[in-house]
Amino acid sequence: MSTPMFVHILHVVGARPNFMKAASVLRALSNAGFRQSLVHTGQHYDANMSDVFFRELEIPKPDVNLAVGSGSHAQQTARIMTGFESVVLERNPDLVVVYGDVNSTVAAALVCAKLQIPVAHVEAGLRSNDRSMPEEINRLLTDQLSDLLFTPSEDADRNLQREGIPVERIHLVGNVMIDTLVHLLPRALKKKSKGFPARYALVTLHRPSNVDDPDVLRRILSSILAVSKKKDSNNQDLAVVFPMHPRTRVRVSQFGMVTDGLHICDPLSYLEFLALQAGATVVLTDSGGIQEESTFLGVPCLTLRANTERPITVEIGTNVLIGNNTDRLRDELAKILNGQQKKGTIPPLWDGQAGERIARILQQYFEKRARPAAVSSGLI
Ligand code: UD1
């Protein structure tokens, strides 16, 4: 049991932000010799939200795809749980690894907790302290259900301890999504600047709180349209490039909103998006992962949310929380265009090695678990 090749680790991914995190851990555990399998819940299913990431990130083809598709939170979560329970019963893994904070994460963790299969949560402990976000509910519950909690930064450790998680379960390993960025940035940069404007703001928007209400979405879009009319200190235009999430695309057309003047495109692949991000004058986003990537890249990030579960990107990174304050957006943007943007540093352990740290901790975890069985059977 203590030898990795006799330990079966099953990973669960479902939605776009899971893929770049799992890519790093799958690679590190494979190098450490673990036996692994991969379940895709099918929460995201469009080729440009899923398949292209598997290809570019060199993630092995999933052993199982539950094909749950879209639905209400309860429907989606229930479909994942029902499908995943059969997979766990059939495959009987020694440990299940879940990632991030999407519905697939909490659904898989809950199934495992009931079946008494140990769960490791990668990217544990992040908190926005805003329970109106579905992801916050997913984070809180997944952490309570997990046996091993791998955290990206010290604030996450503090959150978990405050919630009563025993300290021996918490492991500060760094940021696995940054592992993938470090690994693939050179390849992404080779793709750079094919047909895109020289100076641009890169926009992403998909949070239900920003896109599901027509008044909120209209206000955000009009401030983004105002960005597209900005000039920098050299009187150059600032184009707006906006790869649009399917949720946002549906809302924009449902509410009949005007987006003339913006460079709107379909969701991009990992390498295309990373190249665009690295070259952006500013990023405007409501994504969690992009706040971290822009901090690592040293690109100014204005976050269109009132709070963040990644406060370290504000404390020491390039991120500024704008909320829905359009005056603040205008002021912060003016600073950036005048070359007075906030300077940031890279958080500790965001160094490309988080996956390796997880592999070492898992080796030790299984060595410890193997020992009592071996002793009791008289092998030692
Ligand atoms: C989900 C995650 C969110 C994450 C985001 C990244 C939850 C609760 N939310 O939000 O944390 O930041 O993924 O993208 O898990 N759709 C498609 N094609 C797809 C997938 C979705 O067209 O491949 C459309 C469907 O209309 C669907 C909608 O997008 O109803 C929302 O998808 P869903 O997975 O429910 O949530 P996201 O908004 O993508």
Side-chain angles (χ1 to χ4, degrees):
M1 182 75 162
S2 66
T3 314
M5 64 185 284
F6 295 122
V7 174
H8 174 201
I9 297 192
L10 189 152
H11 303 255
V12 183
V13 294
R16 185 170 62 175
N18 290 160
F19 306 141
M20 26 293 208
K21 296 165 196 167
S24 155
V25 182
L26 282 158
R27 182 178 301 111
L29 296 198
S30 162
N31 290 340
F34 284 100
R35 195 181 130 217
Q36 305 189 79
S37 54
L38 178 61
V39 173
H40 191 329
T41 66
Q43 178 175 345
H44 283 176
Y45 42 85
D46 285 348
N48 61 10
M49 298 289 283
S50 179
D51 300 4
V52 66
F53 290 85
F54 276 71
R55 267 200 310 282
E56 287 190 349
L57 303 175
E58 294 169 355
I59 301 174
K61 194 171 156 357
D63 299 278
V64 179
N65 191 325
L66 300 176
V68 299
S70 301
S72 72
H73 284 267
Q75 289 166 340
Q76 193 173 58
T77 308
R79 283 203 291 264
I80 298 167
M81 288 183 67
T82 312
F84 187 58
E85 186 181 52
S86 308
V87 175
V88 174
L89 288 171
E90 188 190 323
R91 296 184 173 240
N92 195 25
D94 296 301
L95 177 93
V96 168
V97 186
V98 299
Y99 296 87
D101 57 14
V102 300
N103 286 345
S104 302
T105 312
V106 68
L110 187 49
V111 166
C112 293
K114 295 285 179 78
L115 294 176
Q116 298 191 31
I117 302 286
V119 179
H121 183 204
V122 174
E123 200 187 79
L126 298 183
R127 297 289 179 268
S128 64
N129 298 311
D130 173 1
R131 291 201 184 191
S132 69
M133 283 181 83
E135 293 81 4
E136 183 74 354
I137 308 293
N138 296 345
R139 290 187 280 262
L140 280 159
L141 295 181
T142 304
D143 286 340
Q144 284 296 328
L145 297 169
S146 296
D147 300 270
L148 287 149
L149 297 102
F150 295 120
T151 60
S153 47
E154 274 178 8
D155 55 290
D157 290 40
R158 287 194 293 274
N159 292 334
L160 294 172
Q161 287 176 42
R162 207 172 34 243
E163 289 166 18
I165 307 281
V167 69
E168 58 277 12
R169 291 192 193 172
I170 306 170
H171 302 275
L172 176 60
V173 293
N175 191 320
V176 292
M177 199 190 57
I178 298 299
D179 289 1
T180 296
L181 189 159
V182 169
H183 184 62
L184 290 176
L185 186 60
R187 211 177 302 169
L189 292 178
K190 285 196 193 134
K191 279 191 172 265
K192 211 170 153 180
S193 74
K194 268 192 222 130
F196 279 105
R199 307 228 341 131
Y200 54 88
L202 177 61
V203 176
T204 80
L205 209 59
H206 74 283
R207 295 279 158 210
S209 57
N210 278 338
V211 304
D212 285 0
D213 178 323
D215 293 335
V216 176
L217 184 58
R218 191 165 291 116
R219 216 178 43 238
I220 294 178
L221 282 182
S222 74
S223 48
I224 291 172
L225 282 164
V227 170
S228 73
K229 299 194 176 76
K230 286 271 173 208
K231 306 261 183 207
D232 68 7
S233 49
N234 299 321
N235 209 29
Q236 280 184 318
D237 283 338
L238 186 70
V240 173
V241 180
F242 191 170
M244 205 176 267
H245 188 282
R247 173 192 279 279
T248 313
R249 173 86 72 180
V250 168
R251 297 294 183 238
V252 164
S253 96
Q254 193 181 357
F255 303 148
M257 287 177 182
V258 179
T259 54
D260 296 351
L262 307 180
H263 297 259
I264 292 185
C265 58
D266 284 333
L268 297 172
S269 78
Y270 180 75
L271 293 175
E272 287 168 333
F273 189 82
L274 183 54
L276 262 184
Q277 202 179 172
T281 304
V282 57
V283 174
L284 282 97
T285 191
D286 61 5
S287 147
I290 293 170
Q291 296 171 50
E292 298 182 334
E293 289 170 343
S294 54
T295 273
F296 184 88
L297 295 167
V299 171
C301 177
L302 303 180
T303 295
L304 303 168
R305 286 175 44 192
N307 51 50
T308 177
E309 62 288 341
R310 284 140 164 114
I312 197 157
T313 60
V314 176
E315 283 154 23
I316 67 171
T318 55
N319 190 17
V320 178
L321 287 186
I322 298 295
N324 57 9
N325 185 335
T326 42
D327 292 343
R328 183 99 202 266
L329 176 61
R330 200 192 46 229
D331 294 350
E332 291 296 332
L333 198 62
K335 281 193 217 161
I336 293 164
L337 293 178
N338 293 327
Q340 292 160 346
Q341 68 262 34
K342 182 183 171 200
K343 298 278 180 285
T345 53
I346 296 174
L349 301 180
W350 291 22
D351 58 358
Q353 301 295 314
E356 278 72 21
R357 289 187 196 100
I358 289 174
R360 280 197 294 277
I361 292 163
L362 288 180
Q363 277 170 332
Q364 288 162 8
Y365 173 81
F366 283 105
E367 273 164 22
K368 272 196 211 137
R369 281 165 60 98
R371 228 169 273 140
V375 170
S376 63
S377 67
L379 290 173
I380 297 173

